[in-house]
Structure formats: C-alpha cells, structure tokens
Amino acid sequence: MDMESSFDLIQRAQGGDDDALNSLLERYLPRLRRWASGRLPAYARDLGDTNDLIQEAAIGTFRNFPRFQQRGEGGLHAYLRAAVVNRIHDEVRRAGRRPPLDEISTALPTPQTSPLEHAIGQEALGRYERALAQLGDVEREAVIARIELGFTYEEVAALVGKPSAGAARVAIARALDKLARLMSES
C-alpha cells in the first residue's frame, strides 16, 4: 500500500471528498476485518457479529474524521483497530450486564468434551471456574482474554485499559497467581 497515497486520501477525505473516503474504506476495511476476526468472544455476541462492530467503528471514526490527525505510517489503521477494540470491550461489558437467555442444565451429558475439559479434566475445570468467578472483573477479563482467547498482551492492555503490554503482562501474572491460589484452596 502506498502510504503517500493514503496520506493524500486522508487529507482529501477530511476536506469532504467522498471518493477519497470510499477509497480509504476499500483499503482499510478488509485488513481490519482480517485483524478483528474472532476477537469478539462468543458469549458477547447477540444478533451482531464482529463485522458489525467494524462497521460501527468505521462509521464513528469517519463521522469525526475532520478532527483526525495522521501521526505517521499506519496511523489510521491503528486508530481504527483501537476503535474496534473499544467496541469489543463495550460488547463484553454489555454481555456481562445482561441475564443469560436460557439456563443450560449442567446435569445433561455433552456428546464431546471441550479441549479445555479434556486438558485439565472435569474436577480441575470446576475449580478453575469457581476460582475465576472470585477474581475481580478486570482480572477475570484479562485472564480469559489471554488464556482462553489467546489475545496478545497488547490486545489485553487495550481491552482492560492498561497503559502498555508490559502492564497487561504484570496484571495477568498477578491474576494467574491469585487464580492458582484460589484453585488450590477449593
């Protein structure tokens, strides 16, 4: 991608050029979709999906586009990624506030075990879930994002509001220590 061309497109779009804005959308949305694919946890999805969040983030960004300040190569893409992470964070919080749609009986056997159940066994999974429920909201969200969803430290930092990947790494390490202590107590 020609970055000078991106700079030019950004300036033209900020000046109200709809063709430049459409060119930016064509250029950045596919990359953003690939990057964001699978980042919205299944429990936080309702009728929408990750593509809807990307659209909302892009609309919000371009609605306020005249105030956007390009700060180097990849600045717009980084800004759009941050907007998507914020939307994902909002959806995760929203999912935590709404009651579950249907209660699922845990007494019913499942035809197959999940990889997590298979790896650590039913008893350990029960201890893990009980201990996880005792963590604070930010700790729990960071552990789930890193361990269960495989987010990078940078992504976890953005998701839970930590200032850097290093801060997220320290927070996750402390949360995992606490989780291990709580699991050994149950």
Side-chain angles (χ1 to χ4, degrees):
M1 178 176 10
D2 179 14
M3 290 314 295
E4 282 186 48
S5 175
S6 291
F7 288 129
D8 181 51
L9 287 172
I10 289 169
Q11 289 176 341
R12 287 180 27 219
Q14 287 177 321
D17 184 342
D18 289 337
D19 291 334
L21 182 59
N22 288 333
S23 294
L24 285 170
L25 287 170
E26 288 174 12
R27 181 173 290 179
Y28 286 99
L29 286 183
R31 292 174 54 199
L32 199 56
R33 281 189 189 101
R34 279 191 303 277
W35 175 83
S37 178
R39 283 189 164 65
L40 180 63
Y43 71 87
R45 294 183 188 140
D46 50 17
L47 297 177
D49 65 1
T50 306
N51 282 330
D52 294 332
L53 294 177
I54 293 167
Q55 293 290 350
E56 291 172 12
I59 288 168
T61 297
F62 292 119
R63 184 178 297 132
N64 298 313
F65 204 49
R67 290 181 284 191
F68 173 75
Q69 294 179 2
Q70 178 73 0
R71 293 191 178 138
E73 293 183 15
L76 179 58
H77 188 64
Y79 188 86
L80 287 166
R81 273 195 326 250
V84 170
V85 167
N86 288 338
R87 299 285 178 169
I88 289 171
H89 194 219
D90 291 344
E91 286 300 311
V92 168
R93 278 196 317 250
R94 189 173 302 128
R97 290 190 302 255
R98 69 177 173 244
L101 297 175
D102 292 318
E103 290 296 321
I104 299 175
S105 172
T106 57
L108 298 174
T110 59
Q112 59 188 9
T113 60
S114 72
L116 183 60
E117 290 172 331
H118 182 60
I120 63 175
Q122 286 286 6
E123 185 179 318
L125 179 61
R127 286 195 320 268
Y128 169 77
E129 289 174 348
R130 286 188 299 276
L132 192 62
Q134 294 177 37
L135 294 179
D137 291 340
V138 172
E139 293 171 319
R140 183 173 40 257
E141 198 172 325
V143 167
I144 290 171
R146 178 69 181 150
I147 303 303
E148 293 184 25
L149 302 177
F151 280 25
T152 64
Y153 289 112
E154 291 83 10
E155 293 166 335
V156 173
L159 186 66
V160 300
K162 295 293 179 186
S164 67
R169 185 178 296 114
V170 169
I172 291 167
R174 289 178 179 160
L176 288 172
D177 284 344
K178 184 176 179 181
L179 183 69
R181 240 185 3 263
L182 291 167
M183 283 180 68
S184 68
E185 293 170 3
S186 64

